[in-house]
Amino acid sequence: MVNYASKICQACSADATAATTREIEEFLRTHQDWNLSTEVDFPQLKREYTFRNFADAQKFANLIGDLAEKEGHHPSILLEYGKVTVLWWSHKIKSLHINDFILSSKTEEIYKFNN
């Protein structure tokens, strides 16, 4: 199993290679709380996190925002009372890239450490 959380996100260009179906399936097999969302015309990694209240959810959303800025890779974050939904994908290639596996894994670590 690849330890994506130990890796650093690299800048993704418009001609970057998208993750293969096999890589995506392997990631989802080893990160079972994440799902492949096809709500749009391209794949996204999606996970919903639950919290006791809005303040805890907001704190988590802010930590994910800080991570995104640090890594230079930005998700969609939906903040609701007691819930945060995170979607990772690579905007420039409108697909999944290794960066999305890295940031999804780091999102998991933040949740485990702060929940």
Side-chain angles (χ1 to χ4, degrees):
M1 180 172 97
V2 177
N3 180 5
Y4 288 108
S6 69
K7 297 185 178 292
I8 297 171
C9 190
Q10 300 295 321
C12 184
S13 62
D15 63 346
T17 303
T20 66
T21 301
R22 183 175 181 190
E23 289 170 326
I24 295 167
E25 288 171 353
E26 177 65 17
F27 179 84
L28 293 172
R29 188 183 63 74
T30 58
H31 297 80
Q32 295 180 354
D33 290 327
W34 286 88
N35 296 296
L36 188 62
S37 173
T38 54
E39 296 170 11
V40 293
D41 293 340
F42 49 86
Q44 298 173 310
L45 293 175
K46 180 179 182 179
R47 169 116 154 68
E48 292 181 352
Y49 295 90
T50 57
F51 300 89
R52 293 183 310 253
N53 53 48
F54 185 82
D56 289 345
Q58 183 179 28
K59 177 183 173 187
F60 177 73
N62 287 336
L63 290 170
I64 301 309
D66 292 343
L67 170 67
E69 275 300 295
K70 177 183 171 194
E71 297 278 348
H73 193 68
H74 303 90
S76 173
I77 305 171
L78 175 61
L79 170 62
E80 302 175 74
Y81 184 89
K83 184 168 82 169
V84 174
T85 304
V86 180
L87 289 118
W88 288 104
W89 76 98
S90 293
H91 300 248
K92 289 183 180 177
I93 62 173
K94 291 189 178 179
S95 191
L96 295 176
H97 183 270
I98 189 172
N99 289 341
D100 302 302
F101 303 153
I102 292 169
L103 277 293
S104 295
S105 297
K106 289 184 178 189
T107 300
E108 282 301 299
E109 286 193 339
I110 290 170
Y111 181 71
K112 289 175 185 172
F113 184 74
N114 290 282
N115 195 29

